[in-house]
Amino acid sequence: MKPGKLLPYIVLIIGAVLMLFPFIWMVSTSLKAPMDIFNLNIIPESPTLANYIQILQESMFVRWFFNSIIIAVITTISVIFFDTLVGYIIAKFNFFGKKLLFILILSTLMVPVEMLIIPWYMMSSELGWTDTYWGILFPGLMTGFGVFLMKQFMEQIPEDLLNAARIDGMNEFSIFFKIAVPQVWPAISALGIFSFLSNWNAFLWPLIVTESSSLRTLPVGLSYFSSGEAESQWHLIMTGATISVIPLILVFIFLQRHIIKGIVLTGMK
Amino acid sequence: MEQLNTSPDYDKKDRKPKKRQNPSFLYKMRNNYKYQKYFFIIICLLLPLIFYIGIRILPTLFTFNVGFREWNLLSTGERPFVGLSNFVTLFQDEVFLKSLLNTFIYIVIGVIGQLTLGITVALLLHKINRFVGLFRVIYFIPYVTSIVAISWIFQWLFMSNGFVNDLLINLGFSQQPFLNSPDQAIFVISAAMIWQSIGFQMVLFLAGLSNIPEMLYEAADIDGATPWQKFWHVTVPLLNPTIVFSSIIGMITFIQVSFTQVVNMSMDGSGGPLNSTISVVVYIYQTAFQQYDMGLASAATVVLFLFIMGLTIFQMKVLTKKFDY
């Protein structure tokens, strides 16, 4: 190979090492005994699973993991269902107030979630939603971004296809599920993946709305654990981090083609 | 279009047609396409309407309302309207001004950093033909992982006796305070934010690059353009939509990330040392949920809103104008 062709590879490899190193260091620390953690070796001298056993027995990581899965799965299903449906209706029907509705939904994109924590908190404490699963997940049940995305894709479905189904006597619900949805499947899976990731990693709102430690999600639990229980016990903090990071990395590697395609698809719209 | 559906009446044994002068509401629902359509629309939009109005629109207006009131969560009773007094307090509060400045720094460093690094990685990947997939996966991994976990990993790496300092000492440099220093902490935190979002930008720019026709580069070659000229006069203008999109997305994510990362990475967990890393969202959180001053926190939220809006308009104007061709 010519040196000019080799250069990009060298730069990319250095970059890749910088990308992977923090994770390698994290896993490495999690496998070390407490007295070895300030040792610079990347491969632990005497690797041990003691940290994992301690964390799984003494803290609530399993419960937090489970909470995160529940929250992320329910919100993702809801986001997919409602955003697709509303996007479809805005794209394919004419009715009174449609423009206003669409502007209303788009305007929510201008208001970041961080702005709504105060009214949401007051609302939740008024209605007794604090410290419940519902309290954690209600703000994420639908998204303006998803509606916008799905509307863009639904608009590409030919009107004739839907009308043909109507002439055949299909009712509107089956037309939506059996004709429209299969046409936009790639966009739906992209939306689903984004929704799952953002809810899995959400921190600010779950931090505010939960009080009891059994209702924390993984990020909130990890944050409390690292600054409280395990303060400065870096072998335990890194074990907790590994538990919350590795499953998602594995899922990502498994689904990476879809995820990357999804970003391209949504980014280009 | 009135009678598209075959009436179920025909299936019944007696085929006597029913009276049609005053069809009942239920009959219309089932057999008239127009009614069926409205029924479908109303049913489907009911819950979304409640959601968008009740959980997004009204709370936004409520924030504005609270921002003009004296509203402490602990005291019951009167919540008097106090005009602009909360805003006056805010702009006299040095910590708030610092948080505003810091948020601006996070956004500027973050957006510029992730754009340049994202484009660089994308261009490099565009040049090579082997292992593209592998590199793409590796650069993308940080993006899917939890910000909280990343923050703690970076804290651990940049500790006073952590890995990075050990490395610096071994290479003959002096030990750095990093997160303990009011001058350095904000840059370490920004670096972590950028590091995490390179992969996302890379994917966007790769897609943008693959949309540029090879022909344009060939034409530039014939005109004798240098690689640098080709980059500035072909690649950048054609990537402009991607640049605008990702800088706006980047700004919004940095506002969010500047809370999670600051709370988990700063030494005291609340924007230290000496408030050197505090962001507006951290300020809002502390005012609302540690001092229970909802009025002041809401006023800060309103300022943040105007700040974001100003920046978005600025980005759209500047970025789209510059490369108009």
Side-chain angles (χ1 to χ4, degrees):
Chain A
M1 243 190 260
K2 280 190 288 181
K5 281 212 158 179
L6 211 60
L7 189 68
Y9 283 101
I10 296 170
V11 179
L12 283 170
I13 289 171
I14 294 172
V17 170
L18 290 177
M19 289 291 131
L20 287 181
F21 183 75
F23 297 112
I24 295 171
W25 190 237
M26 165 190 81
V27 175
S28 157
T29 308
S30 78
L31 294 172
K32 286 178 180 171
M35 59 278 200
D36 282 341
I37 57 166
F38 289 102
N39 198 331
L40 259 191
N41 291 343
I42 291 171
I43 297 166
E45 271 165 42
S46 47
T48 161
L49 287 176
N51 299 329
Y52 288 88
I53 294 165
Q54 190 182 342
I55 272 202
L56 294 179
Q57 280 174 349
E58 290 171 19
S59 68
M60 302 183 80
F61 268 88
V62 177
R63 176 68 198 252
W64 298 336
F65 198 87
F66 178 69
N67 288 345
S68 277
I69 289 182
I70 292 182
I71 303 289
V73 167
I74 295 178
T75 37
T76 301
I77 292 172
S78 164
V79 161
I80 288 180
F81 179 75
F82 285 109
D83 288 4
T84 311
L85 191 61
V86 176
Y88 170 71
I89 287 177
I90 290 176
K92 288 293 170 200
F93 290 89
N94 278 315
F95 53 92
F96 175 75
K98 170 174 134 168
K99 267 237 169 85
L100 182 73
L101 175 76
F102 189 51
I103 291 171
L104 205 91
I105 292 174
L106 278 192
S107 70
T108 64
L109 282 177
M110 287 291 297
V111 184
V113 168
E114 287 68 30
M115 282 194 60
L116 297 165
I117 50 174
I118 293 170
W120 281 346
Y121 180 76
M122 289 182 176
M123 196 170 134
S124 304
S125 49
E126 199 78 25
L127 298 167
W129 292 353
T130 49
D131 224 18
T132 59
Y133 281 128
W134 169 252
I136 303 173
L137 59 81
F138 82 87
L141 290 175
M142 296 171 209
T143 65
F145 170 74
V147 171
F148 177 69
L149 183 76
M150 295 320 296
K151 175 190 164 270
Q152 300 294 92
F153 280 89
M154 287 294 186
E155 271 171 352
Q156 292 165 3
I157 299 176
E159 207 72 47
D160 294 345
L161 197 67
L162 304 176
N163 282 335
R166 281 181 192 127
I167 291 167
D168 288 344
M170 218 170 177
N171 73 43
E172 291 295 335
F173 291 97
S174 356
I175 293 176
F176 170 69
F177 283 113
K178 292 186 184 149
I179 311 237
V181 167
Q183 303 274 327
V184 293
W185 207 231
I188 291 180
S189 67
L191 179 63
I193 288 164
F194 280 125
S195 165
F196 188 90
L197 275 181
S198 68
N199 283 296
W200 180 272
N201 291 331
F203 179 66
L204 177 58
W205 177 246
L207 173 74
I208 290 169
V209 82
T210 54
E211 279 153 32
S212 48
S213 63
S214 61
L215 270 165
R216 285 173 193 157
T217 57
L218 208 41
V220 179
L222 178 63
S223 179
Y224 271 107
F225 176 76
S226 308
S227 52
E229 279 171 68
E231 202 185 347
S232 303
Q233 291 183 282
W234 288 97
H235 53 291
L236 292 181
I237 298 176
M238 287 304 113
T239 311
T242 309
I243 293 173
S244 58
V245 155
I246 294 298
L248 220 58
I249 293 184
L250 294 179
V251 171
F252 162 67
I253 290 173
F254 187 66
L255 290 175
Q256 53 107 356
R257 259 167 220 286
H258 294 275
I259 295 177
I260 288 172
K261 226 199 278 166
I263 293 178
V264 173
L265 206 64
T266 51
M268 293 294 106
K269 274 288 147 191
Chain B
M1 290 291 280
E2 285 285 286
Q3 286 289 322
L4 284 183
N5 290 342
T6 48
S7 159
D9 296 351
Y10 288 112
D11 302 332
K12 290 181 182 161
K13 273 178 192 165
D14 58 325
R15 304 204 162 184
K16 215 164 48 181
K18 281 182 179 173
K19 280 183 192 167
R20 292 283 161 85
Q21 276 99 340
N22 281 320
S24 73
F25 179 71
L26 270 177
Y27 178 83
K28 277 190 195 164
M29 287 301 329
R30 287 183 65 185
N31 295 304
N32 184 315
Y33 171 63
K34 211 171 136 196
Y35 284 91
Q36 211 190 59
K37 194 183 88 175
Y38 278 111
F39 177 69
F40 175 71
I41 292 173
I42 289 166
I43 287 286
C44 294
L45 289 185
L46 206 62
L47 283 174
L49 264 182
I50 295 172
F51 177 85
Y52 281 105
I53 292 174
I55 294 179
R56 303 301 302 246
I57 308 283
L58 291 181
T60 309
L61 301 177
F62 188 68
T63 307
F64 280 82
N65 180 8
V66 177
F68 291 95
R69 286 171 191 280
E70 193 187 309
W71 192 311
N72 194 302
L73 205 61
L74 299 180
S75 67
T76 47
E78 280 279 307
R79 267 114 194 216
F81 184 83
V82 290
L84 290 173
S85 120
N86 282 329
F87 294 91
V88 173
T89 317
L90 274 183
F91 282 99
Q92 284 168 348
D93 183 356
E94 268 175 41
V95 181
F96 179 72
L97 294 176
K98 183 78 186 163
S99 76
L100 212 53
L101 176 70
N102 284 345
T103 305
F104 187 70
I105 294 177
Y106 284 127
I107 291 173
V108 171
I109 298 181
V111 169
I112 293 177
Q114 66 167 8
L115 280 182
T116 41
L117 289 173
I119 292 186
T120 312
V121 175
L123 283 172
L124 289 170
L125 279 179
H126 205 61
K127 267 211 160 113
I128 63 172
N129 9 358
R130 299 178 71 182
F131 306 116
V132 178
L134 180 68
F135 280 123
R136 217 173 47 176
V137 172
I138 293 175
Y139 279 88
F140 199 77
I141 284 177
Y143 182 76
V144 294
T145 52
S146 124
I147 301 168
V148 176
I150 299 291
S151 303
W152 287 95
I153 300 170
F154 268 70
Q155 220 192 99
W156 170 224
L157 280 167
F158 283 90
M159 267 180 66
S160 51
N161 50 354
F163 185 88
V164 177
N165 266 322
D166 270 331
L167 202 68
L168 285 179
I169 291 167
N170 284 346
L171 293 173
F173 296 97
S174 58
Q175 192 187 30
Q176 297 294 321
F178 292 124
L179 289 164
N180 283 317
S181 147
D183 300 320
Q184 294 178 1
I186 193 169
F187 297 107
V188 179
I189 294 178
S190 309
M193 295 177 185
I194 294 171
W195 177 82
Q196 199 170 16
S197 52
I198 290 175
F200 181 74
Q201 301 295 331
M202 167 201 75
V203 172
L204 284 181
F205 283 114
L206 268 180
L209 281 175
S210 65
N211 283 339
I212 300 178
E214 199 54 40
M215 214 171 66
L216 291 177
Y217 289 107
E218 284 161 16
D221 277 334
I222 294 170
D223 291 343
T226 62
W228 193 243
Q229 282 172 327
K230 276 192 276 184
F231 175 71
W232 277 111
H233 297 288
V234 181
T235 314
V236 171
L238 284 165
L239 283 183
N240 190 31
T242 318
I243 294 174
V244 176
F245 177 78
S246 63
S247 68
I248 290 173
I249 291 270
M251 184 186 74
I252 293 166
T253 39
F254 281 121
I255 286 169
Q256 180 201 348
V257 164
S258 70
F259 175 80
T260 312
Q261 217 122 21
V262 169
V263 164
N264 288 291
M265 251 176 105
S266 62
M267 290 321 286
D268 56 357
S270 57
L274 297 173
N275 292 321
S276 65
T277 59
I278 192 170
S279 70
V280 178
V281 183
V282 178
Y283 182 88
I284 294 172
Y285 175 78
Q286 287 173 354
T287 314
F289 299 101
Q290 281 159 14
Q291 294 159 25
Y292 303 107
D293 192 341
M294 295 301 179
L296 195 63
S298 297
T301 310
V302 171
V303 175
L304 176 66
F305 176 71
L306 297 175
F307 181 75
I308 298 172
M309 219 159 73
L311 271 182
T312 314
I313 293 169
F314 175 79
Q315 278 176 322
M316 285 181 144
K317 277 235 159 98
V318 170
L319 290 171
T320 42
K321 253 195 191 148
K322 202 170 174 187
F323 300 109
D324 227 4
Y325 59 100

